[in-house]
Amino acid sequence: MTSVTSNFAAALPAPLVLVLSASLALSACAEKVEAAPPPAPQAVSGAKAFPAALGYGASAAGGSGGKIIYVTNREDSGAGSLRNCLISKGKRTCVFRIGGVFRFTGRPPVIKNPYLTIAGQTAPGGGVVITHAGGRNARTPILIKNTHDVVVRNVRIRLDRLSANRESDDAITIENSRKVVIDHVSASWASDELINGYGDNDEITISNSIFAYGIPRHDKCALLGSDPKDAQRLSFIGNICAHNGDRNPDINFPPGSCVEVMNNVLYNAESQFAEVWESYRGTPVSIIGNTFVKGPNSHRNTQGIALETIGSTGDARIYIWDNAFTGNFDHISSAAQQAQVAQAPCPPTIQPKSASQGYASTLANAGAWPRDAIDSRVASDITSRSGSIVSGPGRIPEIAKGNAYADMDKDGMDDAWEVSHGSSPQVFDPWADTDGNGVSNFEDFLTYRDSVLRAGQG
């Protein structure tokens, strides 16, 4: 049964509880299938990209074991530029010795060489924003294409200038690639999708991120799959989609795929929240523990979980469990109800949180840290049921300056942290495991940096 727990209802203002309870009762009466609880989770095998990695992409190797490449300036290209790290070959990790806005004035690079980690949490001050300069050279700034083992963490992609190539103006595109993790990323103002999966992808995780303010008339949160060549495994976990007309997210995969949409907060869709399609013989998907929240642009005909049968070539299998719906809209369309199944198509990769737990956790944790004014506003809009879909790009907020931490041996780690954790600031040892906890020194350091940024200490 799709439901919201009593704990979540108790946390809501009284008027919302009444609306939610009534609307859930209506949805429950209309359901055709009594769903069984999700099966026990089956974690992805292999070493994790980082200790907190989730989902089907969790074993992406990224740049582990390879070079530490310093990003020391905000130029479009050349030594010390972000482009230089992205297009380099071999295992590599981009470590930022400078924060601010990294604007590609030429056509943005294509990430085609495998084994890359972008470690945005290493940047000083207010962190990293990646964008383009607008106009004819403007394309998707983070394009991961024909490659594998790529990890992108803790960066913002804010497209504040319009591209002349709207159909190629996503914030992030993953194309014909496998073992990819997008985690704690914030994206806004794309004139195509905010995040887009295209072609023959597999083992993909999109987690703990904020995708907000797509540009009308193509204001889309997430196109998880497009033109897939074969079955895919994809996790969409702990994300916020806010102020996007539809595709919150869009789910279109062939049979045999394992697609999980879990513990997301989906706010202020205009026409549709989650869309399940049948263009590729019918998507199997598990939609578990999400919260769908009506906003100012939503209306009574807005669909929460929708089934699109245009160009259908087979039957979708939609497993729905413990989702919360807040507000007066069409929570589960009649077509989607007909496509519901009693058993999850695949076991989840992690133990899903309840809708109430997922709502609180995602609202508190999603996005790049430290949160900028845009992400803070998104979170505030969700709690106050305010804000709206925008008509054009906004302005990138001022990014606090800061000083890079000392790193004598250029292994990407703070010398003071190394001393306090038994490592040597005079020895290049990012991939050693000094404390014997099964995690490399560098990944332990990034976990520490995450906590520093959350505490607002820069």
Side-chain angles (χ1 to χ4, degrees), residues 61-150:
S64 179
K67 298 177 288 185
I68 298 294
I69 298 181
Y70 272 8
V71 178
T72 58
N73 63 67
R74 292 183 290 271
E75 299 299 320
D76 178 80
S77 61
S81 68
L82 175 58
R83 183 190 295 267
N84 178 65
C85 183
L86 299 184
I87 66 175
S88 292
K89 294 182 178 180
K91 297 178 180 179
R92 64 211 185 276
T93 297
C94 304
V95 169
F96 292 84
R97 305 297 288 168
I98 186 172
V101 177
F102 295 78
R103 189 180 299 279
F104 294 118
T105 54
R107 185 163 179 163
V110 177
I111 298 171
K112 61 182 180 180
N113 296 323
Y115 301 113
L116 168 68
T117 294
I118 302 174
Q121 62 267 67
T122 59
V128 172
V129 176
I130 302 171
T131 189
H132 56 52
R136 64 183 181 86
N137 282 328
R139 301 288 200 286
T140 301
I142 298 294
L143 172 55
I144 301 164
K145 184 173 181 177
N146 300 327
T147 191
H148 58 87
D149 292 280
V150 175

Side-chain angles (χ1 to χ4, degrees), residues 30-304:
E31 285 179 2
K32 304 299 183 184
V33 172
E34 182 75 26
Q42 291 185 6
V44 173
S45 62
K48 285 189 173 184
F50 50 93
L54 304 170
Y56 286 109
S59 63
S64 179
K67 298 177 288 185
I68 298 294
I69 298 181
Y70 272 8
V71 178
T72 58
N73 63 67
R74 292 183 290 271
E75 299 299 320
D76 178 80
S77 61
S81 68
L82 175 58
R83 183 190 295 267
N84 178 65
C85 183
L86 299 184
I87 66 175
S88 292
K89 294 182 178 180
K91 297 178 180 179
R92 64 211 185 276
T93 297
C94 304
V95 169
F96 292 84
R97 305 297 288 168
I98 186 172
V101 177
F102 295 78
R103 189 180 299 279
F104 294 118
T105 54
R107 185 163 179 163
V110 177
I111 298 171
K112 61 182 180 180
N113 296 323
Y115 301 113
L116 168 68
T117 294
I118 302 174
Q121 62 267 67
T122 59
V128 172
V129 176
I130 302 171
T131 189
H132 56 52
R136 64 183 181 86
N137 282 328
R139 301 288 200 286
T140 301
I142 298 294
L143 172 55
I144 301 164
K145 184 173 181 177
N146 300 327
T147 191
H148 58 87
D149 292 280
V150 175
V151 177
V152 181
R153 299 177 66 190
N154 215 80
V155 298
R156 303 179 193 92
I157 301 98
R158 306 257 188 241
L159 306 186
D160 61 329
R161 301 180 187 178
L162 290 174
S163 169
N165 311 284
R166 181 164 195 153
E167 70 284 355
S168 303
D169 192 36
D170 300 323
I172 303 169
T173 296
I174 305 166
E175 180 177 347
N176 296 326
S177 295
R178 58 185 174 83
K179 289 187 178 290
V180 175
V181 175
I182 306 296
D183 183 71
H184 282 289
V185 166
S186 298
S188 61
W189 310 321
S191 52
D192 204 8
E193 276 76 25
L194 287 161
I195 186 162
N196 176 26
Y198 178 78
D200 192 23
N201 294 322
D202 195 20
E203 296 175 274
I204 307 295
T205 291
I206 303 164
S207 56
N208 303 312
S209 296
I210 297 178
F211 304 108
Y213 301 115
I215 303 301
R217 296 181 173 179
H218 203 77
D219 42 325
K220 316 292 185 181
C221 179
L223 179 59
L224 300 184
S226 177
D227 294 338
K229 305 298 186 293
D230 203 348
Q232 299 184 16
R233 290 163 288 179
L234 182 142
S235 302
F236 192 76
I237 303 175
N239 304 293
I240 292 174
C241 285
H243 302 311
N244 303 292
D246 58 1
R247 297 186 183 175
N248 293 283
D250 183 294
I251 310 155
N252 197 2
F253 294 88
S257 296
C258 289
V259 182
E260 53 187 14
V261 177
M262 295 196 301
N263 294 137
N264 303 286
V265 176
L266 311 169
Y267 176 62
N268 195 34
E270 186 169 27
S271 59
Q272 292 166 315
F273 287 88
E275 305 173 35
V276 182
W277 288 74
E278 297 181 331
S279 306
Y280 303 103
R281 294 178 289 121
T283 298
V285 60
S286 295
I287 302 177
I288 304 173
N290 303 282
T291 302
F292 300 76
V293 184
K294 182 180 185 293
N297 295 106
S298 309
H299 47 80
R300 62 182 299 179
N301 293 323
T302 300
Q303 295 179 328

Side-chain angles (χ1 to χ4, degrees), residues 332-367:
I332 305 174
S333 75
S334 58
Q337 290 174 31
Q338 295 296 324
Q340 280 187 253
V341 294
Q343 304 289 334
C346 303
T349 58
I350 61 170
Q351 182 63 47
K353 297 181 176 72
S354 68
S356 59
Q357 293 169 333
Y359 176 85
S361 175
T362 297
L363 203 59
N365 296 316

